[in-house]
Structure formats: C-alpha cells, structure tokens
Amino acid sequence: MQDYQTQQPTVLKILDAHREMPGNLLPILHGIQDTLGYIPPDAVPDIAKALNLSKAEVHGVVSFYHYFRVTPPGKHTIRICRAESCQSMNSKTLETHAKQTLNIDFHETSADGMFSLEPVYCLGNCACSPAITIDNEVFGRVSPEKFDQLLATFKGTE
Amino acid sequence: MTRLFISRDSTALSLGAELVAQTLQRHTAGQNIEIIRNGSRGLFWLEPLIEVETDAGRVAYGPVQPEDVASLLASGLLEGNQHPLYLGDIEALPYFKNQNRLTFARVGITDPVSLDDYLAHDGYRGLKNALALQPADIVKQVTESGLRGRGGAAFPTGIKWNTVLNAPAEQKYIVCNADEGDSGTFSDRMIMEGDPFVLIEGMTIAGLAVGATQGYIYLRIEYPHAKIALNQAIAAAYENGYLGENIQGSGKTFHLEVRSGAGAYVCGEETSLLESLEGKRGLVRFKPPLPAIVGLFGKPTIVNNVISLASIPVILDKGGEYYKNFGLGRSRGTLPIQLAGNIKHGGLFEAAFGVTLRELLYDYGGGSASGRPIRAVQVGGPLGAYMPESQFDTPLDYEAFAAIGAVLGHGGIVVHDDTTSLADMARYAMEFCVEESCGKCTPCRIGSTRGVEVIDRILDNVDKAKNTELLRDLCDTMTCGSLCAMGGMTPYPVLSALNHFPEDFGLQATKA
C-alpha cells in the first residue's frame, strides 16, 4: 500500500478544488477514488477538517456507499450484476464461475493483483443479461466461456 | 456524403458496437462517408445495428459483427442493397411501428449530443413556448396533461409542481432522480444516452415553471456512458445560450450540473437522494415536510425522475391536451416499457397505457429467450410483485395493477421461465433489502434480516406452517411500519411469490 504522505498532496488539491461547491462530500470522495483508486483511511481526518465535519461523519459516508472502497483495487475491476434480470439468465452460474476462475470471493482481489471482483445491482443492460462491466466497459450476454475470453483479453492488454 | 448510424448506447456497446464502428471506419477510409454514433432504436436483439441513409430513406442491417462488415460493403451496404443481415426500414417493423413514441421520439434517430440535430428534430420547441408563458400557465399545461411521476409512485406531476410554485423562497431547486436502479429498467439510461437534450430541456422548463435557477441530475454511478453524453450536451447547451444566465435572451436563468451517486439503491428514494446530494449518508427523511416544501438544502425542490422530466418538452410543445389523449382511465400519456430478462426480443417499447402484458410478452417480446414456457414476470423493479400467467391479461394501467396487488412502477418487465424458483427469488428480495436498507427504520433493517432467516426455515422444512404464518406477519409489519418503499414494498415480491407459487416453497396451494 502506498504511503499516505505521497498521496496527501492529491487529496488536499481535490479538497481545495471543491471548497465552494454545495454538498461537496460525494464529489470529493469520487475525486479521490478516481485519482488514487480508493479512499485511503488516512485521508479521512484531512477531509473532515476541510469540511468542518467529524471523522465519524466522513467515515459514515464512505462506508454507507457500496461504490467507495478503502483498499487499493486490482488493475481491473470486474462488476457482475446480481439483480433479477441477470438472475433470470443464469448470472448465478456466471458468478460461481468467476469466483472459481479468479479464486476469490466478492470484494476481493486476485493473488496476481490483476482483477478485483465486485457485485453490482443493475447496469441497465437488462435486455441482454447477464451483464458485467470491466472497468468502464459494459458486456452483455456473458457466458462463462465469454467471461474467460474477456479475462484473457484484459490480461493481454498488459 | 453517405451517412451511417451505429449506436453509442451502452447495450449496443455491450454487444460490440464500438468494434463494428471501428471496423467500418477502417474499411471505408478515404471514402466520402460519415459515421454518426446515435442512440439505440431499442430493438436490442438487432444490435449492433447499422443504418445507412439512402435516397429511399434509412436502411438497417443487424445484428452486425465486425467480421460481417467486409461482406456488407461488398454487397452494397452504402446503397442500401440486399444482404442476409438486411432489415430494411426499421420503422416498418411491427415492434417499432406499433409504438407511440412521444418521449423517445428522437432516440436512435439523432446524434444525441448534437444541438443542431436536436433543433432540426423539433427540439427546444417546448422551451420556446414555455418562455412565452407565465409560470402558473406552464404548471397548468403539465397538470392538464395528466402526467404522473414515471418513477413508480405515480404522483400527479402538476400537483407537485404547483406546490413548489406556491412555496415562497429566494432559492428553489429542480432535482432529477437518475438513480433508479430497478432491475429490468433501462429507459432512464437510454434517454440520457440517446437524447440528453430532452431531459435538459424538461428540467429547464421545470425551472421556469416554479422559479428555480439551479438543477441537479443525480446520476447512478453504474451509468458511465450516460454521464459522458449528459455532460457533452450540457456543455453545448451552455455554449448556445440554452442554459445559464439570460436563456435565449429571456432574462431567465437556469444552471444544471450532473452529480454522481455511489452505488446505494436507496438513494433512488427522493429524500434519501436529497441527503446524498447534500453530502451525507443516504438516510431516508421523515415526511412531512415534503421535499416540495423543504427539499434540497432546506429549500422547495421538485424531485422528478428522468422520464417524467423528459416527457415535459412534448407536453409544452404540443399541449397538455395532446398528451392526455393517449392512455387509459387515470393513466394518461405513454409509458416507456422495458422488456428484459429471459425474453427473445428484449428492448424498449413506448406505448400508450392500456397494452396488456400478454401482448408485450408474446406479440412483441416473442416469448422467452430460452424457448421454455414463461412462468412469472416481475413488473416494476425488485420491489414489484411476481405475476403468474393467469394475470398476463392485465392492462398496463396504474389502477389495474394496484387492484391485483401488483405495481407498474417504472414499467420494467423482467421475464422468468419455468426453471426459476420463486422461493429463491423471494429470499433474494429479502436479501436485497438487507444489503440496501439505509438502516434508519427497524422494520426494514431488522425485518429483512429476519425475513431471510424465516424463508430459510420454510425451505428447510422447519415448522413450515408456523414459519409461513410468521413470514406473512413480518411482511405485514414491514408494509405498515417502514419509513419508505424500500422496506414497505419488499413484501410485494415475497408475498406474491408465496401466494402464486406456493409449491416452490413446498407448500400446498391454499389461497390465490
């Protein structure tokens, strides 16, 4: 894990850029996660101080939202939809296959640091279920075979 | 110059539209063609779709894979000639022809982020009319249209706007709820990706109607392509005087900004959304006071969902009366219906209220994708009821659905074939509530956790009769005691599964 000292200037810059924005906590957290890949727990005191909130309040917001993470992600993040539409098209089989292939559970990162696996509840691709995303790309009608091909592709782009 | 259209819609992209566009670009390098990345027509089983503009109108081909491009070009794609993937005029297909496209009139036709294209296809005519009206008269048009919130609760939009109009305040807000993450719904996403200007125009009109100068679109983080399209369109609207100060020389002001959510389903609930926009945990607020009186940052606020706001421009363009003439009973206008899950022809189907589930599932949807019998459909998202075949003749109408204990919600229809266990789906509904409850009220937070346990005991044959009774009692507590629809409606999928499919729980059919 990176040393917070090297990350702090980035965090402070993001805090400064959002100083005047009403309701700025979520945009700040997005800014940090977009830049650093996650929200370092050590950043919480800095955020709290800048927004005149308690550390507990900031931590409460970070932990409330599924999207925010407090550990560094793998190189690529795979999100598998678990909602009803995808279930009706066998997403459970796909989920099991993904976990076995990557040898991890949801919210974990593969041993080689390549892939993080997260559940997601609806990508709005319900007419072509089951759906997944890898980073910001959406894929529809994903069978276990197609999943393996995608893994190979994303590994290949190294 | 030959113009070609390939969609930039997420679903088309999820099936390879980007690669098709790139391949086509490569094969036609040096030729006089332009590839326009449009929205999707919503006939998703035909995506990736290519349309080519010819003297005889647009000709469509699909579904196209990159390896088809060479043979398409060889057989005369650019002239609209025959090919095994030839579909002809997409608007002549029954799936498209039998729709009433009011809100989705431009989606799949125009370049979503081209303001010129929007203006050339009747865009901003509603705003032009609104600028000539008094605020109360704009609200009157909306009231007359009979439009009810398309987000699920179906509250009359005109009444909500009137409340905000009459609430005195130096600052008011327009908030677009673009965080509805119901499984089986994608109409919000499609309109934001396929015609973002219509939402921007609708919100601007809302601002004029109630005297609000600031708007926010609270957008699901799961929709990255929608964010790109919205921001491109907002930038174009600012540059051309359709947003900002002195809109089109009228002296009126409206500012608009997109804010990202962070993966909390409950933030689709309006008060939870407002908390989130204020930078807090998305905890549901007690009502009253209504957001129309005390909303964002304590000020009067219109919170409407995407489709409600996107329906406003056509109402102000053609009049409330025109819109009202579509529909049935107290359900006026059109509803963008989404066919999803295990369905052969999944996609978007905008129609006047009154079409039946059976027509949608079989005449247009073509039956299940697996080819097996359709056993149940869940309408209105994860908190909607599971409907058995015996209810497939119900017309899509808010009251007709309410009468049989179902909800129409956002018009999302998720199809399940006969391999689905409805007991598993009921358990999942409770599990989803555990995952997504904001935690503020006990019936939702604790009730859902206990609900999973009780269903597990039923499925494990532990005191079956007693636990079934307990499950019904628990559902009653959640329905009557929860603060918002998250806990209050989770019993819909659970009880409908139990009532219509008792055999999946290992129970005798006792009551319907």
Side-chain angles (χ1 to χ4, degrees):
Chain A
M1 201 175 285
Q2 257 187 296
D3 190 348
Y4 182 61
Q5 271 190 338
T6 61
Q7 298 170 324
Q8 195 178 30
T10 309
V11 171
L12 295 179
K13 211 169 120 189
I14 291 166
L15 285 168
D16 204 45
H18 291 83
R19 205 166 288 278
E20 301 300 323
M21 187 187 235
N24 51 6
L25 183 50
L26 258 67
I28 286 168
L29 295 176
H30 275 299
I32 295 172
Q33 184 156 314
D34 286 349
T35 318
L36 301 175
Y38 69 111
I39 295 158
D42 285 344
V44 169
D46 282 338
I47 301 167
K49 193 175 162 207
L51 302 189
N52 198 21
L53 296 169
S54 72
K55 283 181 275 183
E57 282 170 305
V58 175
H59 173 75
V61 171
V62 173
S63 58
F64 181 85
Y65 295 95
H66 300 304
Y67 182 76
F68 295 134
R69 54 181 305 146
V70 293
T71 54
K75 197 165 182 70
H76 303 290
T77 299
I78 303 175
R79 293 191 164 81
I80 300 185
C81 179
R82 294 195 63 212
E84 287 86 349
S85 175
C86 287
Q87 285 194 41
S88 80
M89 292 301 280
N90 302 321
S91 64
K92 278 190 176 168
T93 309
L94 179 64
E95 245 177 68
T96 311
H97 174 81
K99 287 177 184 176
Q100 276 172 0
T101 307
L102 296 168
N103 198 24
I104 49 171
D105 203 343
F106 280 131
H107 310 297
E108 294 180 354
T109 299
S110 59
D112 58 2
M114 192 68 80
F115 297 104
S116 293
L117 190 64
E118 300 288 337
V120 67
Y121 297 89
C122 200
L123 298 163
N125 198 27
C126 323
C128 299
S129 294
I132 71 168
T133 55
I134 303 182
D135 304 330
N136 266 342
E137 278 190 71
V138 195
F139 301 94
R141 297 190 197 127
V142 181
S143 59
E145 296 72 37
K146 186 164 171 187
F147 183 84
D148 292 344
Q149 286 166 13
L150 288 169
L151 280 195
T153 310
F154 274 81
K155 273 186 189 164
T157 58
E158 271 303 293
Chain B
M1 163 102 74
T2 307
R3 302 207 308 162
L4 290 151
F5 298 83
I6 300 175
S7 179
R8 60 184 271 172
D9 177 275
S10 288
T11 295
L13 294 177
S14 85
L15 302 173
E18 186 62 39
L19 210 51
V20 173
Q22 285 171 12
T23 309
L24 193 64
Q25 188 88 61
R26 217 173 37 243
H27 277 80
T28 55
Q31 295 186 47
N32 195 17
I33 70 150
E34 186 189 6
I35 298 177
I36 292 163
R37 305 304 300 272
N38 58 344
S40 173
R41 300 277 197 163
L43 287 71
F44 283 144
W45 70 99
L46 299 176
E47 291 284 3
L49 185 83
I50 297 179
E51 283 186 87
V52 58
E53 213 166 49
T54 70
D55 293 340
R58 280 197 196 183
V59 177
Y61 301 84
V64 179
Q65 292 304 310
E67 54 271 25
D68 300 322
V69 169
S71 81
L72 276 165
L73 285 167
S75 60
L77 168 80
L78 300 178
E79 291 78 42
N81 290 348
Q82 287 293 331
H83 183 275
L85 297 177
Y86 176 89
L87 297 165
D89 177 7
I90 200 109
E91 295 187 10
L93 300 180
Y95 194 98
F96 195 96
K97 196 173 65 181
N98 295 331
Q99 299 191 35
N100 311 104
R101 289 211 165 198
L102 301 185
T103 308
F104 277 75
R106 275 174 297 266
V107 177
I109 295 173
T110 54
D111 175 349
V113 298
S114 159
L115 180 61
D116 289 342
D117 223 2
Y118 186 67
L119 292 169
H121 288 82
D122 299 344
Y124 275 124
R125 284 167 48 150
L127 179 72
K128 194 178 167 209
N129 290 342
L131 283 169
L133 293 172
Q134 289 302 310
D137 294 322
I138 303 176
V139 175
K140 199 165 154 239
Q141 287 292 325
V142 175
T143 307
E144 273 177 11
S145 74
L147 178 69
R148 292 162 75 180
R150 298 290 189 248
F155 188 80
T157 305
I159 294 180
K160 191 184 270 186
W161 284 28
N162 204 43
T163 309
V164 180
L165 172 66
N166 293 322
E170 74 283 5
Q171 178 68 58
K172 298 177 186 179
Y173 295 102
I174 309 297
V175 171
C176 172
N177 181 352
D179 192 54
E180 292 185 7
D182 287 355
S183 174
T185 66
F186 42 83
S187 58
D188 289 5
R189 182 188 62 64
M190 278 187 71
I191 207 103
M192 291 187 285
E193 292 178 3
D195 193 14
F197 285 112
V198 81
L199 175 60
I200 296 166
E201 183 182 354
M203 291 184 74
T204 310
I205 294 169
L208 297 178
V210 300
T213 54
Q214 175 70 49
Y216 293 100
I217 299 171
Y218 184 88
L219 176 67
R220 284 169 70 67
I221 190 75
E222 291 84 352
Y223 291 175
H225 295 290
K227 186 173 180 177
I228 294 167
L230 282 169
N231 280 328
Q232 288 173 336
I234 287 172
Y238 267 109
E239 276 165 30
N240 292 280
Y242 285 96
L243 280 174
E245 314 282 333
N246 194 21
I247 292 169
Q248 297 300 300
S250 66
K252 307 278 186 182
T253 298
F254 190 69
H255 292 280
L256 184 56
E257 188 184 326
V258 179
R259 289 284 178 98
S260 293
Y265 176 78
V266 75
C267 290
E269 196 280 336
E270 59 177 0
T271 62
S272 161
L273 185 156
L274 294 175
E275 290 286 301
S276 186
L277 259 182
E278 290 180 7
K280 302 171 195 160
R281 284 180 288 158
L283 297 188
V284 171
R285 291 178 185 172
F286 289 96
K287 284 197 279 193
L290 295 168
I293 310 285
V294 181
L296 186 65
F297 304 118
K299 304 296 181 194
T301 302
I302 286 181
V303 186
N304 276 152
N305 102 317
V306 175
I307 299 298
S308 314
L309 288 163
S311 301
I312 297 297
V314 69
I315 291 170
L316 266 294
D317 177 13
K318 299 192 170 164
E321 191 64 29
Y322 172 84
Y323 191 79
K324 190 185 180 175
N325 284 332
F326 294 87
L328 175 82
R330 287 178 51 221
S331 303
R332 312 310 313 180
T334 59
L335 181 70
I337 297 151
Q338 300 119 88
L339 288 171
N342 196 334
I343 185 98
K344 199 168 166 191
H345 295 160
L348 182 108
F349 194 95
E350 182 176 352
F353 288 91
V355 59
T356 68
L357 274 178
R358 197 179 299 278
E359 289 172 63
L360 289 165
L361 294 174
Y362 295 103
D363 296 354
Y364 300 109
S368 72
S370 60
R372 303 183 64 94
I374 295 177
R375 181 146 184 257
V377 297
Q378 188 182 29
V379 185
L383 310 179
Y386 284 98
M387 301 171 73
E389 217 252 328
S390 61
Q391 296 182 333
F392 286 180
D393 292 311
T394 314
L396 265 66
D397 163 83
Y398 294 118
E399 277 68 38
F401 267 62
I404 55 167
V407 286
L408 189 47
H410 197 301
I413 297 174
V414 175
V415 180
H416 292 266
D417 72 9
D418 62 350
T419 60
T420 295
S421 158
L422 273 299
D424 285 353
M425 298 317 292
R427 187 188 187 280
Y428 172 79
M430 284 289 189
E431 201 190 335
F432 183 67
C433 188
V434 172
E435 193 73 12
E436 297 296 335
S437 173
C438 86
K440 184 160 180 166
C441 72
T442 317
C444 176
R445 183 182 72 245
I446 310 284
S448 53
T449 302
R450 295 290 95 88
V452 174
E453 295 165 3
V454 176
I455 293 174
D456 279 344
R457 287 202 292 273
I458 295 171
L459 296 179
D460 288 344
N461 281 314
V462 180
D463 291 333
K464 225 170 177 115
K466 214 176 93 192
N467 276 307
T468 306
E469 187 65 32
L470 185 60
L471 180 61
R472 289 185 182 280
D473 192 51
L474 182 65
C475 283
D476 191 51
T477 304
M478 290 176 73
T479 303
C480 302
S482 298
L483 262 181
C484 83
M486 181 80 236
M489 285 178 62
T490 293
Y492 276 79
V494 175
L495 290 177
S496 59
L498 191 60
N499 290 335
H500 298 304
F501 306 93
E503 63 276 19
D504 288 17
F505 295 79
L507 295 162
Q508 298 286 328
T510 45
K511 52 181 251 188

PDB file of all heavy atoms in Angstrom, chain B residues 370-392:
ATOM      1  N   SER B 370     -35.092 -18.533 -23.758  1.00  0.00           N
ATOM      2  CA  SER B 370     -34.688 -19.940 -23.637  1.00  0.00           C
ATOM      3  C   SER B 370     -35.598 -20.855 -24.432  1.00  0.00           C
ATOM      4  O   SER B 370     -35.282 -22.025 -24.617  1.00  0.00           O
ATOM      5  CB  SER B 370     -34.703 -20.347 -22.162  1.00  0.00           C
ATOM      6  OG  SER B 370     -36.017 -20.194 -21.639  1.00  0.00           O
ATOM      7  N   GLY B 371     -36.752 -20.337 -24.866  1.00  0.00           N
ATOM      8  CA  GLY B 371     -37.706 -21.169 -25.590  1.00  0.00           C
ATOM      9  C   GLY B 371     -38.610 -21.978 -24.665  1.00  0.00           C
ATOM     10  O   GLY B 371     -39.499 -22.686 -25.117  1.00  0.00           O
ATOM     11  N   ARG B 372     -38.395 -21.852 -23.370  1.00  0.00           N
ATOM     12  CA  ARG B 372     -39.212 -22.568 -22.395  1.00  0.00           C
ATOM     13  C   ARG B 372     -40.422 -21.701 -22.026  1.00  0.00           C
ATOM     14  O   ARG B 372     -40.438 -20.507 -22.296  1.00  0.00           O
ATOM     15  CB  ARG B 372     -38.379 -22.885 -21.149  1.00  0.00           C
ATOM     16  CG  ARG B 372     -37.124 -23.703 -21.452  1.00  0.00           C
ATOM     17  CD  ARG B 372     -36.370 -24.044 -20.178  1.00  0.00           C
ATOM     18  NE  ARG B 372     -37.165 -24.915 -19.314  1.00  0.00           N
ATOM     19  CZ  ARG B 372     -37.077 -26.233 -19.315  1.00  0.00           C
ATOM     20  NH1 ARG B 372     -36.221 -26.839 -20.100  1.00  0.00           N
ATOM     21  NH2 ARG B 372     -37.830 -26.961 -18.509  1.00  0.00           N
ATOM     22  N   PRO B 373     -41.441 -22.299 -21.386  1.00  0.00           N
ATOM     23  CA  PRO B 373     -42.620 -21.505 -21.031  1.00  0.00           C
ATOM     24  C   PRO B 373     -42.286 -20.368 -20.064  1.00  0.00           C
ATOM     25  O   PRO B 373     -41.448 -20.536 -19.169  1.00  0.00           O
ATOM     26  CB  PRO B 373     -43.539 -22.519 -20.334  1.00  0.00           C
ATOM     27  CG  PRO B 373     -43.034 -23.863 -20.725  1.00  0.00           C
ATOM     28  CD  PRO B 373     -41.571 -23.718 -21.003  1.00  0.00           C
ATOM     29  N   ILE B 374     -42.936 -19.225 -20.263  1.00  0.00           N
ATOM     30  CA  ILE B 374     -42.776 -18.120 -19.318  1.00  0.00           C
ATOM     31  C   ILE B 374     -43.611 -18.441 -18.085  1.00  0.00           C
ATOM     32  O   ILE B 374     -44.797 -18.729 -18.186  1.00  0.00           O
ATOM     33  CB  ILE B 374     -43.253 -16.789 -19.938  1.00  0.00           C
ATOM     34  CG1 ILE B 374     -42.349 -16.409 -21.126  1.00  0.00           C
ATOM     35  CG2 ILE B 374     -43.239 -15.669 -18.882  1.00  0.00           C
ATOM     36  CD1 ILE B 374     -42.780 -15.139 -21.847  1.00  0.00           C
ATOM     37  N   ARG B 375     -42.983 -18.402 -16.932  1.00  0.00           N
ATOM     38  CA  ARG B 375     -43.685 -18.804 -15.718  1.00  0.00           C
ATOM     39  C   ARG B 375     -44.126 -17.611 -14.899  1.00  0.00           C
ATOM     40  O   ARG B 375     -45.203 -17.584 -14.333  1.00  0.00           O
ATOM     41  CB  ARG B 375     -42.743 -19.673 -14.874  1.00  0.00           C
ATOM     42  CG  ARG B 375     -43.381 -20.175 -13.595  1.00  0.00           C
ATOM     43  CD  ARG B 375     -42.852 -21.558 -13.264  1.00  0.00           C
ATOM     44  NE  ARG B 375     -43.523 -22.081 -12.093  1.00  0.00           N
ATOM     45  CZ  ARG B 375     -42.978 -22.125 -10.877  1.00  0.00           C
ATOM     46  NH1 ARG B 375     -41.759 -21.655 -10.684  1.00  0.00           N
ATOM     47  NH2 ARG B 375     -43.660 -22.630  -9.873  1.00  0.00           N
ATOM     48  N   ALA B 376     -43.273 -16.600 -14.821  1.00  0.00           N
ATOM     49  CA  ALA B 376     -43.581 -15.445 -13.979  1.00  0.00           C
ATOM     50  C   ALA B 376     -42.913 -14.216 -14.563  1.00  0.00           C
ATOM     51  O   ALA B 376     -41.847 -14.319 -15.178  1.00  0.00           O
ATOM     52  CB  ALA B 376     -43.072 -15.680 -12.563  1.00  0.00           C
ATOM     53  N   VAL B 377     -43.555 -13.075 -14.389  1.00  0.00           N
ATOM     54  CA  VAL B 377     -42.872 -11.834 -14.728  1.00  0.00           C
ATOM     55  C   VAL B 377     -42.922 -10.910 -13.525  1.00  0.00           C
ATOM     56  O   VAL B 377     -43.928 -10.828 -12.823  1.00  0.00           O
ATOM     57  CB  VAL B 377     -43.476 -11.109 -15.965  1.00  0.00           C
ATOM     58  CG1 VAL B 377     -43.337 -11.950 -17.211  1.00  0.00           C
ATOM     59  CG2 VAL B 377     -44.907 -10.714 -15.741  1.00  0.00           C
ATOM     60  N   GLN B 378     -41.817 -10.241 -13.279  1.00  0.00           N
ATOM     61  CA  GLN B 378     -41.778  -9.251 -12.209  1.00  0.00           C
ATOM     62  C   GLN B 378     -41.842  -7.887 -12.869  1.00  0.00           C
ATOM     63  O   GLN B 378     -41.006  -7.553 -13.708  1.00  0.00           O
ATOM     64  CB  GLN B 378     -40.502  -9.377 -11.373  1.00  0.00           C
ATOM     65  CG  GLN B 378     -40.521  -8.481 -10.137  1.00  0.00           C
ATOM     66  CD  GLN B 378     -39.243  -8.552  -9.313  1.00  0.00           C
ATOM     67  OE1 GLN B 378     -38.170  -8.804  -9.846  1.00  0.00           O
ATOM     68  NE2 GLN B 378     -39.362  -8.333  -8.020  1.00  0.00           N
ATOM     69  N   VAL B 379     -42.851  -7.119 -12.506  1.00  0.00           N
ATOM     70  CA  VAL B 379     -43.034  -5.802 -13.105  1.00  0.00           C
ATOM     71  C   VAL B 379     -42.728  -4.739 -12.060  1.00  0.00           C
ATOM     72  O   VAL B 379     -43.103  -4.872 -10.895  1.00  0.00           O
ATOM     73  CB  VAL B 379     -44.479  -5.618 -13.626  1.00  0.00           C
ATOM     74  CG1 VAL B 379     -44.626  -4.297 -14.365  1.00  0.00           C
ATOM     75  CG2 VAL B 379     -44.871  -6.763 -14.537  1.00  0.00           C
ATOM     76  N   GLY B 380     -42.023  -3.690 -12.469  1.00  0.00           N
ATOM     77  CA  GLY B 380     -41.817  -2.548 -11.577  1.00  0.00           C
ATOM     78  C   GLY B 380     -40.610  -2.664 -10.675  1.00  0.00           C
ATOM     79  O   GLY B 380     -40.563  -2.037  -9.623  1.00  0.00           O
ATOM     80  N   GLY B 381     -39.622  -3.461 -11.051  1.00  0.00           N
ATOM     81  CA  GLY B 381     -38.375  -3.491 -10.300  1.00  0.00           C
ATOM     82  C   GLY B 381     -38.356  -4.502  -9.171  1.00  0.00           C
ATOM     83  O   GLY B 381     -39.307  -5.259  -8.986  1.00  0.00           O
ATOM     84  N   PRO B 382     -37.265  -4.500  -8.394  1.00  0.00           N
ATOM     85  CA  PRO B 382     -37.062  -5.529  -7.360  1.00  0.00           C
ATOM     86  C   PRO B 382     -38.108  -5.483  -6.252  1.00  0.00           C
ATOM     87  O   PRO B 382     -38.228  -6.435  -5.489  1.00  0.00           O
ATOM     88  CB  PRO B 382     -35.671  -5.223  -6.798  1.00  0.00           C
ATOM     89  CG  PRO B 382     -35.331  -3.868  -7.273  1.00  0.00           C
ATOM     90  CD  PRO B 382     -36.135  -3.581  -8.489  1.00  0.00           C
ATOM     91  N   LEU B 383     -38.863  -4.380  -6.159  1.00  0.00           N
ATOM     92  CA  LEU B 383     -39.896  -4.292  -5.129  1.00  0.00           C
ATOM     93  C   LEU B 383     -41.280  -4.545  -5.729  1.00  0.00           C
ATOM     94  O   LEU B 383     -42.299  -4.350  -5.071  1.00  0.00           O
ATOM     95  CB  LEU B 383     -39.868  -2.917  -4.447  1.00  0.00           C
ATOM     96  CG  LEU B 383     -38.488  -2.452  -3.960  1.00  0.00           C
ATOM     97  CD1 LEU B 383     -38.569  -1.077  -3.316  1.00  0.00           C
ATOM     98  CD2 LEU B 383     -37.910  -3.450  -2.965  1.00  0.00           C
ATOM     99  N   GLY B 384     -41.316  -4.988  -6.985  1.00  0.00           N
ATOM    100  CA  GLY B 384     -42.588  -5.261  -7.648  1.00  0.00           C
ATOM    101  C   GLY B 384     -43.003  -6.715  -7.463  1.00  0.00           C
ATOM    102  O   GLY B 384     -42.186  -7.580  -7.156  1.00  0.00           O
ATOM    103  N   ALA B 385     -44.296  -6.984  -7.680  1.00  0.00           N
ATOM    104  CA  ALA B 385     -44.833  -8.330  -7.478  1.00  0.00           C
ATOM    105  C   ALA B 385     -44.441  -9.259  -8.628  1.00  0.00           C
ATOM    106  O   ALA B 385     -44.221  -8.809  -9.757  1.00  0.00           O
ATOM    107  CB  ALA B 385     -46.350  -8.259  -7.365  1.00  0.00           C
ATOM    108  N   TYR B 386     -44.375 -10.562  -8.329  1.00  0.00           N
ATOM    109  CA  TYR B 386     -44.246 -11.589  -9.362  1.00  0.00           C
ATOM    110  C   TYR B 386     -45.636 -11.959  -9.841  1.00  0.00           C
ATOM    111  O   TYR B 386     -46.489 -12.315  -9.036  1.00  0.00           O
ATOM    112  CB  TYR B 386     -43.523 -12.818  -8.823  1.00  0.00           C
ATOM    113  CG  TYR B 386     -42.038 -12.589  -8.701  1.00  0.00           C
ATOM    114  CD1 TYR B 386     -41.460 -12.233  -7.486  1.00  0.00           C
ATOM    115  CD2 TYR B 386     -41.220 -12.695  -9.821  1.00  0.00           C
ATOM    116  CE1 TYR B 386     -40.095 -11.991  -7.378  1.00  0.00           C
ATOM    117  CE2 TYR B 386     -39.859 -12.449  -9.731  1.00  0.00           C
ATOM    118  CZ  TYR B 386     -39.304 -12.106  -8.512  1.00  0.00           C
ATOM    119  OH  TYR B 386     -37.953 -11.856  -8.429  1.00  0.00           O
ATOM    120  N   MET B 387     -45.870 -11.837 -11.142  1.00  0.00           N
ATOM    121  CA  MET B 387     -47.200 -12.110 -11.667  1.00  0.00           C
ATOM    122  C   MET B 387     -47.203 -13.431 -12.425  1.00  0.00           C
ATOM    123  O   MET B 387     -46.340 -13.668 -13.269  1.00  0.00           O
ATOM    124  CB  MET B 387     -47.621 -10.959 -12.585  1.00  0.00           C
ATOM    125  CG  MET B 387     -47.639  -9.622 -11.822  1.00  0.00           C
ATOM    126  SD  MET B 387     -47.859  -8.189 -12.887  1.00  0.00           S
ATOM    127  CE  MET B 387     -49.590  -8.346 -13.318  1.00  0.00           C
ATOM    128  N   PRO B 388     -48.188 -14.308 -12.127  1.00  0.00           N
ATOM    129  CA  PRO B 388     -48.285 -15.592 -12.831  1.00  0.00           C
ATOM    130  C   PRO B 388     -49.017 -15.427 -14.154  1.00  0.00           C
ATOM    131  O   PRO B 388     -49.602 -14.365 -14.410  1.00  0.00           O
ATOM    132  CB  PRO B 388     -49.104 -16.438 -11.862  1.00  0.00           C
ATOM    133  CG  PRO B 388     -50.001 -15.445 -11.192  1.00  0.00           C
ATOM    134  CD  PRO B 388     -49.243 -14.147 -11.112  1.00  0.00           C
ATOM    135  N   GLU B 389     -49.007 -16.475 -14.957  1.00  0.00           N
ATOM    136  CA  GLU B 389     -49.613 -16.440 -16.284  1.00  0.00           C
ATOM    137  C   GLU B 389     -51.066 -15.992 -16.242  1.00  0.00           C
ATOM    138  O   GLU B 389     -51.541 -15.303 -17.146  1.00  0.00           O
ATOM    139  CB  GLU B 389     -49.489 -17.830 -16.914  1.00  0.00           C
ATOM    140  CG  GLU B 389     -49.231 -17.825 -18.401  1.00  0.00           C
ATOM    141  CD  GLU B 389     -50.432 -18.268 -19.186  1.00  0.00           C
ATOM    142  OE1 GLU B 389     -51.179 -19.106 -18.650  1.00  0.00           O
ATOM    143  OE2 GLU B 389     -50.636 -17.786 -20.312  1.00  0.00           O
ATOM    144  N   SER B 390     -51.787 -16.359 -15.176  1.00  0.00           N
ATOM    145  CA  SER B 390     -53.210 -16.019 -15.075  1.00  0.00           C
ATOM    146  C   SER B 390     -53.446 -14.502 -15.022  1.00  0.00           C
ATOM    147  O   SER B 390     -54.560 -14.042 -15.210  1.00  0.00           O
ATOM    148  CB  SER B 390     -53.827 -16.677 -13.840  1.00  0.00           C
ATOM    149  OG  SER B 390     -53.182 -16.211 -12.668  1.00  0.00           O
ATOM    150  N   GLN B 391     -52.398 -13.739 -14.775  1.00  0.00           N
ATOM    151  CA  GLN B 391     -52.561 -12.277 -14.700  1.00  0.00           C
ATOM    152  C   GLN B 391     -51.989 -11.555 -15.927  1.00  0.00           C
ATOM    153  O   GLN B 391     -51.921 -10.330 -15.955  1.00  0.00           O
ATOM    154  CB  GLN B 391     -51.884 -11.732 -13.434  1.00  0.00           C
ATOM    155  CG  GLN B 391     -52.535 -12.237 -12.154  1.00  0.00           C
ATOM    156  CD  GLN B 391     -51.899 -11.667 -10.902  1.00  0.00           C
ATOM    157  OE1 GLN B 391     -50.725 -11.302 -10.907  1.00  0.00           O
ATOM    158  NE2 GLN B 391     -52.663 -11.608  -9.820  1.00  0.00           N
ATOM    159  N   PHE B 392     -51.614 -12.318 -16.955  1.00  0.00           N
ATOM    160  CA  PHE B 392     -50.957 -11.691 -18.105  1.00  0.00           C
ATOM    161  C   PHE B 392     -51.890 -10.821 -18.943  1.00  0.00           C
ATOM    162  O   PHE B 392     -51.428 -10.090 -19.816  1.00  0.00           O
ATOM    163  CB  PHE B 392     -50.304 -12.743 -19.017  1.00  0.00           C
ATOM    164  CG  PHE B 392     -49.043 -13.349 -18.443  1.00  0.00           C
ATOM    165  CD1 PHE B 392     -48.339 -14.318 -19.152  1.00  0.00           C
ATOM    166  CD2 PHE B 392     -48.545 -12.956 -17.207  1.00  0.00           C
ATOM    167  CE1 PHE B 392     -47.182 -14.886 -18.633  1.00  0.00           C
ATOM    168  CE2 PHE B 392     -47.400 -13.525 -16.680  1.00  0.00           C
ATOM    169  CZ  PHE B 392     -46.718 -14.491 -17.393  1.00  0.00           C
TER     170      PHE B 392
END
